[in-house]
Amino acid sequence: MNRKEFMDELKEHLVGVSKVDRDEIIEDYEEHFKIGKREKRSEKDIVESLGDPRQIAKDARGELSGSNKGELKDEAVDTWVAVKKLSRQVWGRVKEITEIEKVRYPRGEFTNEGWIFLILLLLSIITDHSLFILGTVAVVIYSALKYSNRKDGARNKKAKGTKKKSKGKTNSVRFVISLLFNLLFFFWVWFSVFWVIIGLFIGSIAILISGVVVLGFAIFSLFGYHTVMMGSMIFSGLFAGIGLILLGGLLTDLSEKVMRLFFWATKKYIELNMRFIEE
Amino acid sequence: MDTQFKKGVLDLCVLCILQRADHYGYELVQKISKDIQITEGTLYPILRRLKNDGYLQTYLKESSEGPSRKYYSLTKNGETKAMELKKEWKDFGRKVGKILK
Protein backbone atom coordinates (compact mmCIF):
# COMPACT_ATOMS: atom_id res chain seq x y z
CA MET A 1 0.00 0.00 0.00
CA ASN A 2 1.38 3.40 -0.86
CA ARG A 3 0.55 6.79 0.62
CA LYS A 4 -2.32 7.53 -1.73
CA GLU A 5 -3.93 4.12 -1.17
CA PHE A 6 -3.55 4.50 2.58
CA MET A 7 -5.10 7.98 2.61
CA ASP A 8 -7.92 6.91 0.27
CA GLU A 9 -8.78 3.91 2.45
CA LEU A 10 -8.63 6.11 5.55
CA LYS A 11 -10.89 8.78 4.05
CA GLU A 12 -13.28 6.12 2.76
CA HIS A 13 -13.68 4.52 6.19
CA LEU A 14 -13.60 7.65 8.32
CA VAL A 15 -17.34 7.99 8.68
CA GLY A 16 -19.23 8.51 11.90
CA VAL A 17 -17.07 11.37 13.14
CA SER A 18 -17.68 15.08 12.85
CA LYS A 19 -16.40 16.86 9.76
CA VAL A 20 -14.01 18.95 11.86
CA ASP A 21 -12.46 15.88 13.48
CA ARG A 22 -12.32 14.11 10.14
CA ASP A 23 -10.51 16.96 8.41
CA GLU A 24 -8.08 17.41 11.31
CA ILE A 25 -7.17 13.73 11.39
CA ILE A 26 -6.61 13.59 7.65
CA GLU A 27 -4.40 16.66 7.93
CA ASP A 28 -2.43 14.99 10.75
CA TYR A 29 -1.65 11.96 8.60
CA GLU A 30 -0.72 14.07 5.61
CA GLU A 31 1.71 15.95 7.85
CA HIS A 32 3.03 12.63 9.17
CA PHE A 33 3.76 11.46 5.64
CA LYS A 34 5.40 14.76 4.73
CA ILE A 35 7.74 14.68 7.71
CA GLY A 36 8.49 11.00 7.18
CA LYS A 37 9.32 11.73 3.55
CA ARG A 38 11.68 14.46 4.70
CA GLU A 39 13.47 11.90 6.89
CA LYS A 40 13.97 9.79 3.77
CA ARG A 41 11.65 7.03 4.92
CA SER A 42 9.96 5.12 2.11
CA GLU A 43 6.19 5.45 1.74
CA LYS A 44 5.81 1.72 2.23
CA ASP A 45 7.74 1.91 5.47
CA ILE A 46 5.62 4.76 6.80
CA VAL A 47 2.38 3.02 5.82
CA GLU A 48 3.50 -0.18 7.55
CA SER A 49 4.36 1.60 10.77
CA LEU A 50 1.06 3.48 10.75
CA GLY A 51 -0.97 0.30 10.56
CA ASP A 52 -4.30 -0.61 9.01
CA PRO A 53 -6.29 2.47 7.92
CA ARG A 54 -9.55 0.65 8.54
CA GLN A 55 -8.55 -0.05 12.13
CA ILE A 56 -7.45 3.56 12.58
CA ALA A 57 -10.82 4.76 11.33
CA LYS A 58 -12.52 2.37 13.73
CA ASP A 59 -10.44 3.66 16.63
CA ALA A 60 -11.20 7.22 15.64
CA ARG A 61 -14.89 6.39 15.70
CA GLY A 62 -14.52 4.88 19.13
CA GLU A 63 -12.67 7.91 20.46
CA LEU A 64 -14.49 10.69 18.74
CA SER A 65 -18.09 9.82 17.90
CA GLY A 66 -20.52 12.18 19.55
CA SER A 67 -22.28 10.71 22.55
CA ASN A 68 -25.72 11.70 21.29
CA LYS A 69 -25.39 9.93 17.95
CA GLY A 70 -23.97 6.79 19.41
CA GLU A 71 -21.21 4.77 17.86
CA LEU A 72 -21.66 3.50 14.34
CA LYS A 73 -21.42 -0.25 14.09
CA ASP A 74 -18.33 -1.41 12.22
CA GLU A 75 -20.39 -3.74 10.06
CA ALA A 76 -22.51 -0.78 9.00
CA VAL A 77 -19.42 1.19 7.97
CA ASP A 78 -17.90 -1.75 6.13
CA THR A 79 -21.15 -2.33 4.29
CA TRP A 80 -21.45 1.35 3.44
CA VAL A 81 -17.90 1.52 2.06
CA ALA A 82 -18.43 -1.68 0.05
CA VAL A 83 -21.67 -0.30 -1.37
CA LYS A 84 -19.96 2.98 -2.30
CA LYS A 85 -17.16 1.16 -4.09
CA LEU A 86 -19.47 -1.22 -5.89
CA SER A 87 -21.83 1.44 -7.12
CA ARG A 88 -18.90 3.53 -8.29
CA GLN A 89 -17.66 0.56 -10.34
CA VAL A 90 -21.08 -0.19 -11.77
CA TRP A 91 -21.80 3.44 -12.63
CA GLY A 92 -18.40 3.72 -14.29
CA ARG A 93 -19.27 0.74 -16.47
CA VAL A 94 -22.68 2.19 -17.30
CA LYS A 95 -21.09 5.50 -18.30
CA GLU A 96 -18.61 3.61 -20.46
CA ILE A 97 -21.37 1.86 -22.34
CA THR A 98 -23.48 4.96 -22.85
CA GLU A 99 -20.50 7.08 -23.87
CA ILE A 100 -19.96 4.82 -26.87
CA GLU A 101 -23.56 5.37 -27.92
CA LYS A 102 -23.30 9.17 -27.60
CA VAL A 103 -20.82 9.28 -30.48
CA ARG A 104 -23.19 7.58 -32.87
CA TYR A 105 -26.09 9.95 -32.26
CA PRO A 106 -24.52 13.35 -31.78
CA ARG A 107 -26.51 15.74 -29.67
CA GLY A 108 -27.87 18.84 -31.31
CA GLU A 109 -27.76 22.24 -29.67
CA PHE A 110 -30.59 23.10 -27.36
CA THR A 111 -32.13 26.02 -29.17
CA ASN A 112 -34.95 28.40 -28.45
CA GLU A 113 -37.29 26.02 -30.24
CA GLY A 114 -36.30 23.41 -27.69
CA TRP A 115 -37.41 25.65 -24.84
CA ILE A 116 -40.66 26.56 -26.56
CA PHE A 117 -41.27 22.89 -27.14
CA LEU A 118 -40.71 22.00 -23.49
CA ILE A 119 -42.99 24.78 -22.24
CA LEU A 120 -45.74 23.82 -24.65
CA LEU A 121 -45.28 20.17 -23.69
CA LEU A 122 -45.67 20.93 -20.01
CA LEU A 123 -48.68 23.11 -20.68
CA SER A 124 -50.34 20.44 -22.76
CA ILE A 125 -49.73 17.83 -20.06
CA ILE A 126 -51.10 20.08 -17.35
CA THR A 127 -54.06 21.58 -19.14
CA ASP A 128 -54.76 18.83 -21.67
CA HIS A 129 -55.88 21.60 -24.02
CA SER A 130 -55.68 20.65 -27.67
CA LEU A 131 -54.23 24.05 -28.49
CA PHE A 132 -51.01 23.27 -26.66
CA ILE A 133 -50.86 19.78 -28.06
CA LEU A 134 -51.05 21.14 -31.58
CA GLY A 135 -48.50 23.71 -30.55
CA THR A 136 -45.97 21.07 -29.53
CA VAL A 137 -46.46 19.27 -32.80
CA ALA A 138 -46.12 22.51 -34.74
CA VAL A 139 -42.82 23.31 -33.00
CA VAL A 140 -41.49 19.85 -33.79
CA ILE A 141 -42.37 20.20 -37.46
CA TYR A 142 -41.01 23.73 -37.58
CA SER A 143 -37.68 22.73 -36.01
CA ALA A 144 -37.37 19.69 -38.20
CA LEU A 145 -37.83 21.83 -41.29
CA LYS A 146 -35.55 24.56 -40.03
CA TYR A 147 -32.68 22.28 -39.14
CA SER A 148 -33.00 19.63 -41.81
CA ASN A 149 -31.82 21.87 -44.60
CA ARG A 150 -28.64 22.72 -42.73
CA LYS A 151 -27.44 19.15 -42.58
CA ASP A 152 -28.65 18.28 -46.05
CA GLY A 153 -26.87 21.25 -47.52
CA ALA A 154 -23.57 20.01 -46.14
CA ARG A 155 -24.10 16.48 -47.37
CA ASN A 156 -25.22 17.44 -50.85
CA LYS A 157 -22.30 19.77 -51.37
CA LYS A 158 -20.00 16.80 -51.06
CA ALA A 159 -21.98 14.49 -53.30
CA LYS A 160 -23.56 16.45 -56.09
CA GLY A 161 -22.06 19.92 -55.87
CA THR A 162 -24.09 22.81 -54.56
CA LYS A 163 -27.71 21.95 -54.46
CA LYS A 164 -29.62 24.73 -52.77
CA LYS A 165 -33.17 24.46 -51.49
CA SER A 166 -35.17 22.93 -54.26
CA LYS A 167 -36.35 25.54 -56.72
CA GLY A 168 -38.72 23.08 -58.32
CA LYS A 169 -42.36 23.85 -58.78
CA THR A 170 -44.65 22.96 -55.94
CA ASN A 171 -46.86 20.30 -57.41
CA SER A 172 -50.31 21.08 -56.10
CA VAL A 173 -51.69 17.61 -56.70
CA ARG A 174 -48.88 16.05 -54.77
CA PHE A 175 -49.29 18.62 -52.07
CA VAL A 176 -52.95 17.68 -51.60
CA ILE A 177 -52.16 13.94 -51.58
CA SER A 178 -49.45 14.42 -49.01
CA LEU A 179 -51.62 16.63 -46.85
CA LEU A 180 -54.55 14.19 -46.87
CA PHE A 181 -52.34 11.20 -46.14
CA ASN A 182 -50.67 12.96 -43.25
CA LEU A 183 -53.75 14.45 -41.69
CA LEU A 184 -55.92 11.37 -42.01
CA PHE A 185 -53.43 8.70 -41.19
CA PHE A 186 -49.82 9.38 -40.43
CA PHE A 187 -50.33 12.17 -37.96
CA TRP A 188 -52.39 10.06 -35.56
CA VAL A 189 -49.92 7.19 -35.58
CA TRP A 190 -47.05 9.56 -35.03
CA PHE A 191 -48.92 11.29 -32.27
CA SER A 192 -49.56 8.11 -30.28
CA VAL A 193 -45.97 7.03 -30.60
CA PHE A 194 -44.90 10.50 -29.54
CA TRP A 195 -46.79 10.32 -26.26
CA VAL A 196 -45.64 6.78 -25.55
CA ILE A 197 -42.03 7.84 -25.88
CA ILE A 198 -42.55 10.90 -23.73
CA GLY A 199 -44.24 8.68 -21.15
CA LEU A 200 -41.30 6.28 -21.22
CA PHE A 201 -38.92 9.11 -20.58
CA ILE A 202 -40.93 10.55 -17.70
CA GLY A 203 -41.47 7.08 -16.25
CA SER A 204 -37.73 6.42 -16.27
CA ILE A 205 -37.09 9.63 -14.42
CA ALA A 206 -39.75 8.66 -11.90
CA ILE A 207 -38.00 5.34 -11.28
CA LEU A 208 -34.74 7.17 -10.82
CA ILE A 209 -36.28 9.56 -8.29
CA SER A 210 -37.99 6.75 -6.38
CA GLY A 211 -34.61 5.03 -6.15
CA VAL A 212 -33.09 8.17 -4.67
CA VAL A 213 -35.90 8.42 -2.12
CA VAL A 214 -35.61 4.78 -1.05
CA LEU A 215 -31.84 4.99 -0.79
CA GLY A 216 -32.16 8.25 1.09
CA PHE A 217 -34.43 6.70 3.71
CA ALA A 218 -32.16 3.69 4.01
CA ILE A 219 -29.11 5.89 4.56
CA PHE A 220 -30.87 8.10 7.10
CA SER A 221 -32.02 5.04 8.99
CA LEU A 222 -28.50 3.61 8.84
CA PHE A 223 -27.07 6.69 10.49
CA GLY A 224 -29.85 6.73 13.01
CA TYR A 225 -31.54 9.89 11.88
CA HIS A 226 -35.03 9.07 10.79
CA THR A 227 -35.62 5.44 11.65
CA VAL A 228 -38.12 4.74 8.91
CA MET A 229 -36.41 1.42 8.31
CA MET A 230 -34.90 -0.97 10.79
CA GLY A 231 -32.46 -3.85 10.74
CA SER A 232 -32.56 -5.95 7.61
CA MET A 233 -34.89 -3.48 5.94
CA ILE A 234 -32.02 -1.02 5.84
CA PHE A 235 -29.93 -3.42 3.80
CA SER A 236 -32.75 -4.19 1.42
CA GLY A 237 -33.48 -0.49 1.25
CA LEU A 238 -29.86 0.28 0.36
CA PHE A 239 -29.75 -2.22 -2.46
CA ALA A 240 -33.29 -1.56 -3.67
CA GLY A 241 -32.50 2.16 -3.76
CA ILE A 242 -29.30 1.63 -5.69
CA GLY A 243 -30.98 -0.82 -8.04
CA LEU A 244 -33.78 1.61 -8.78
CA ILE A 245 -31.34 4.44 -9.34
CA LEU A 246 -29.26 2.40 -11.76
CA LEU A 247 -32.33 1.05 -13.51
CA GLY A 248 -33.87 4.52 -13.68
CA GLY A 249 -30.60 5.96 -14.94
CA LEU A 250 -30.26 3.33 -17.65
CA LEU A 251 -33.89 3.67 -18.71
CA THR A 252 -33.63 7.46 -18.78
CA ASP A 253 -30.60 7.23 -20.97
CA LEU A 254 -32.22 4.62 -23.23
CA SER A 255 -35.48 6.52 -23.56
CA GLU A 256 -33.58 9.71 -24.26
CA LYS A 257 -31.85 7.93 -27.14
CA VAL A 258 -35.18 6.61 -28.38
CA MET A 259 -36.54 10.15 -28.25
CA ARG A 260 -33.63 11.48 -30.23
CA LEU A 261 -34.02 8.67 -32.74
CA PHE A 262 -37.73 9.38 -32.99
CA PHE A 263 -37.25 13.07 -33.69
CA TRP A 264 -34.58 12.34 -36.23
CA ALA A 265 -36.96 9.92 -37.96
CA THR A 266 -39.70 12.54 -37.88
CA LYS A 267 -37.37 15.04 -39.47
CA LYS A 268 -36.45 12.55 -42.19
CA TYR A 269 -40.10 11.83 -42.88
CA ILE A 270 -40.88 15.52 -43.23
CA GLU A 271 -37.97 15.95 -45.63
CA LEU A 272 -39.27 13.03 -47.62
CA ASN A 273 -42.63 14.69 -47.82
CA MET A 274 -41.09 17.95 -48.95
CA ARG A 275 -39.12 16.21 -51.64
CA PHE A 276 -42.22 14.40 -52.78
CA ILE A 277 -44.15 17.66 -53.05
CA GLU A 278 -41.47 19.70 -54.71
CA GLU A 279 -40.48 17.15 -57.28
CA MET B 1 1.36 -6.14 25.70
CA ASP B 2 -2.42 -6.20 26.04
CA THR B 3 -4.29 -3.65 23.89
CA GLN B 4 -6.79 -2.72 26.57
CA PHE B 5 -4.00 -2.10 29.02
CA LYS B 6 -2.08 -0.03 26.48
CA LYS B 7 -5.08 2.16 25.68
CA GLY B 8 -5.41 3.41 29.23
CA VAL B 9 -1.70 4.01 29.49
CA LEU B 10 -1.30 5.96 26.25
CA ASP B 11 -3.18 8.97 27.59
CA LEU B 12 -0.80 9.01 30.54
CA CYS B 13 2.26 8.76 28.29
CA VAL B 14 1.12 11.50 25.94
CA LEU B 15 0.27 13.92 28.74
CA CYS B 16 3.49 13.32 30.62
CA ILE B 17 5.72 13.70 27.59
CA LEU B 18 3.97 16.96 26.77
CA GLN B 19 4.30 18.07 30.36
CA ARG B 20 8.04 18.16 29.90
CA ALA B 21 8.00 19.90 26.52
CA ASP B 22 5.85 20.71 23.51
CA HIS B 23 6.10 18.23 20.68
CA TYR B 24 4.78 17.99 17.16
CA GLY B 25 2.72 14.97 16.16
CA TYR B 26 5.34 13.01 14.31
CA GLU B 27 8.01 13.20 16.99
CA LEU B 28 5.49 12.41 19.73
CA VAL B 29 4.45 9.30 17.83
CA GLN B 30 8.07 8.25 17.31
CA LYS B 31 8.95 8.76 20.95
CA ILE B 32 6.13 6.63 22.29
CA SER B 33 6.37 3.86 19.72
CA LYS B 34 10.08 3.59 20.45
CA ASP B 35 9.42 2.20 23.90
CA ILE B 36 5.90 0.83 23.77
CA GLN B 37 4.90 -1.52 20.97
CA ILE B 38 2.03 0.28 19.30
CA THR B 39 0.94 0.92 15.73
CA GLU B 40 1.77 4.57 15.27
CA GLY B 41 -1.44 5.30 13.46
CA THR B 42 -3.57 4.82 16.54
CA LEU B 43 -2.03 7.81 18.29
CA TYR B 44 -3.49 10.60 16.16
CA PRO B 45 -7.14 9.87 17.05
CA ILE B 46 -6.08 9.81 20.70
CA LEU B 47 -4.40 13.21 20.32
CA ARG B 48 -7.56 14.49 18.65
CA ARG B 49 -9.69 13.24 21.52
CA LEU B 50 -7.43 14.73 24.17
CA LYS B 51 -7.66 18.03 22.34
CA ASN B 52 -11.45 17.80 22.14
CA ASP B 53 -11.55 17.05 25.85
CA GLY B 54 -9.60 20.21 26.51
CA TYR B 55 -6.38 18.71 27.80
CA LEU B 56 -4.28 19.70 24.80
CA GLN B 57 -3.99 22.70 22.56
CA THR B 58 -2.24 23.02 19.24
CA TYR B 59 -0.35 25.70 17.39
CA LEU B 60 1.47 25.81 14.09
CA LYS B 61 5.15 26.54 14.04
CA GLU B 62 7.21 27.27 10.96
CA SER B 63 10.01 24.79 10.41
CA SER B 64 13.30 25.51 8.73
CA GLU B 65 13.27 22.05 7.18
CA GLY B 66 10.00 22.32 5.34
CA PRO B 67 6.25 22.57 6.00
CA SER B 68 4.97 24.14 9.20
CA ARG B 69 4.28 21.60 11.91
CA LYS B 70 1.40 21.28 14.32
CA TYR B 71 2.73 21.42 17.90
CA TYR B 72 0.86 20.03 20.89
CA SER B 73 1.03 21.54 24.37
CA LEU B 74 -0.79 20.96 27.64
CA THR B 75 -3.59 23.19 28.79
CA LYS B 76 -4.17 23.98 32.44
CA ASN B 77 -6.66 21.11 32.56
CA GLY B 78 -4.08 18.96 30.83
CA GLU B 79 -1.54 19.69 33.54
CA THR B 80 -4.02 18.71 36.23
CA LYS B 81 -5.00 15.59 34.33
CA ALA B 82 -1.38 14.61 33.88
CA MET B 83 -0.70 14.80 37.61
CA GLU B 84 -3.92 12.90 38.28
CA LEU B 85 -3.05 10.08 35.90
CA LYS B 86 0.51 9.87 37.24
CA LYS B 87 -0.78 9.44 40.75
CA GLU B 88 -3.33 6.84 39.61
CA TRP B 89 -0.59 4.92 37.83
CA LYS B 90 1.65 4.91 40.86
CA ASP B 91 -1.17 3.82 43.16
CA PHE B 92 -2.22 1.15 40.73
CA GLY B 93 1.34 -0.12 40.41
CA ARG B 94 1.67 -0.30 44.15
CA LYS B 95 -1.54 -2.26 44.56
CA VAL B 96 -0.70 -4.71 41.77
CA GLY B 97 2.77 -5.07 43.21
CA LYS B 98 1.27 -6.12 46.53
CA ILE B 99 -0.87 -8.81 44.90
CA LEU B 100 2.03 -10.12 42.89
CA LYS B 101 4.24 -10.63 45.93
Side-chain angles (χ1 to χ4, degrees):
Chain A
M1 207 187 264
N2 62 16
R3 172 178 174 176
K4 187 176 186 307
E5 287 167 1
F6 178 90
M7 291 309 296
D8 286 345
E9 272 293 293
L10 181 66
K11 284 180 203 165
E12 192 88 73
H13 282 84
L14 208 51
V15 287
V17 296
S18 74
K19 188 172 190 307
V20 186
D21 287 340
R22 189 170 183 272
D23 291 342
E24 284 277 336
I25 288 178
I26 290 173
E27 225 181 86
D28 285 343
Y29 284 98
E30 296 281 12
E31 188 183 300
H32 187 97
F33 272 104
K34 278 188 209 151
I35 298 178
K37 186 171 160 196
R38 213 146 256 296
E39 296 193 350
K40 310 282 199 247
R41 283 172 78 191
S42 72
E43 270 185 18
K44 191 161 179 281
D45 186 43
I46 301 175
V47 169
E48 254 179 63
S49 68
L50 282 177
D52 179 18
R54 258 159 300 188
Q55 184 61 38
I56 292 174
K58 181 178 168 198
D59 290 340
R61 257 198 313 277
E63 308 264 9
L64 297 167
S65 56
S67 49
N68 42 332
K69 265 197 274 172
E71 201 176 317
L72 260 188
K73 281 213 181 296
D74 299 321
E75 298 82 39
V77 177
D78 289 337
T79 312
W80 173 234
V81 174
V83 164
K84 269 198 284 185
K85 286 187 177 161
L86 181 67
S87 36
R88 231 177 287 143
Q89 279 177 11
V90 174
W91 185 241
R93 188 84 188 96
V94 169
K95 290 228 89 168
E96 253 182 62
I97 298 173
T98 54
E99 278 304 318
I100 302 169
E101 291 301 312
K102 262 196 185 103
V103 183
R104 268 205 266 160
Y105 298 117
R107 190 188 282 276
E109 312 98 51
F110 202 68
T111 60
N112 295 324
E113 285 85 0
W115 285 111
I116 297 174
F117 172 75
L118 274 177
I119 293 169
L120 283 172
L121 181 70
L122 256 134
L123 282 170
S124 49
I125 291 173
I126 295 169
T127 63
D128 208 20
H129 203 293
S130 40
L131 182 70
F132 297 122
I133 296 175
L134 284 173
T136 61
V137 175
V139 174
V140 170
I141 295 176
Y142 171 74
S143 332
L145 283 173
K146 179 173 176 187
Y147 294 108
S148 65
N149 287 318
R150 240 207 292 172
K151 243 199 162 174
D152 274 3
R155 222 190 321 126
N156 287 337
K157 263 188 204 134
K158 276 195 230 161
K160 300 170 195 171
T162 357
K163 186 181 182 179
K164 295 235 179 79
K165 251 192 271 192
S166 176
K167 285 194 205 141
K169 286 179 249 156
T170 312
N171 188 320
S172 25
V173 178
R174 289 190 173 204
F175 178 74
V176 172
I177 295 173
S178 159
L179 193 69
L180 280 173
F181 176 75
N182 285 317
L183 279 177
L184 294 178
F185 173 70
F186 181 79
F187 177 71
W188 306 107
V189 173
W190 178 89
F191 202 64
S192 333
V193 176
F194 173 72
W195 285 111
V196 167
I197 291 180
I198 296 283
L200 212 71
F201 183 67
I202 293 176
S204 315
I205 295 181
I207 294 178
L208 185 63
I209 293 175
S210 64
V212 174
V213 171
V214 169
L215 185 66
F217 276 135
I219 293 172
F220 284 146
S221 307
L222 182 68
F223 286 93
Y225 277 117
H226 196 306
T227 42
V228 182
M229 306 180 182
M230 308 240 196
S232 51
M233 260 193 90
I234 296 182
F235 288 98
S236 18
L238 281 172
F239 290 112
I242 291 168
L244 283 171
I245 289 172
L246 291 175
L247 181 68
L250 262 166
L251 283 176
T252 307
D253 205 54
L254 265 168
S255 48
E256 192 226 342
K257 283 193 201 0
V258 172
M259 266 208 304
R260 260 190 266 153
L261 193 64
F262 178 71
F263 286 126
W264 172 86
T266 307
K267 182 179 74 178
K268 287 292 165 199
Y269 175 79
I270 293 170
E271 283 168 21
L272 192 76
N273 263 251
M274 293 288 114
R275 239 175 285 158
F276 173 73
I277 294 171
E278 288 169 4
E279 208 87 307
Chain B
M1 215 179 154
D2 184 44
T3 351
Q4 280 294 71
F5 200 71
K6 260 186 263 184
K7 274 205 165 116
V9 159
L10 284 177
D11 285 9
L12 170 64
C13 293
V14 167
L15 291 175
C16 287
I17 291 179
L18 290 177
Q19 204 180 26
R20 280 178 253 140
D22 295 354
H23 288 67
Y24 57 92
Y26 187 87
E27 76 181 332
L28 194 58
V29 163
Q30 298 292 71
K31 231 181 209 169
I32 294 181
S33 62
K34 203 172 15 124
D35 293 321
I36 309 181
Q37 272 281 17
I38 50 153
T39 41
E40 300 176 5
T42 56
L43 267 171
Y44 287 105
I46 293 176
L47 290 173
R48 183 78 205 145
R49 176 179 44 86
L50 289 172
K51 183 177 172 193
N52 285 351
D53 290 344
Y55 300 128
L56 302 181
Q57 59 199 4
T58 58
Y59 58 91
L60 282 174
K61 191 157 143 200
E62 292 296 320
S63 149
S64 51
E65 302 152 357
S68 50
R69 298 197 268 235
K70 184 156 82 173
Y71 276 78
Y72 292 87
S73 69
L74 286 187
T75 61
K76 263 249 154 75
N77 287 339
E79 295 269 1
T80 329
K81 188 77 177 169
M83 304 306 288
E84 204 180 290
L85 288 181
K86 251 199 222 170
K87 182 170 181 298
E88 275 181 30
W89 172 257
K90 290 200 180 123
D91 289 344
F92 187 68
R94 226 181 341 107
K95 289 183 189 149
V96 172
K98 269 200 211 156
I99 298 174
L100 291 178
K101 274 210 198 108

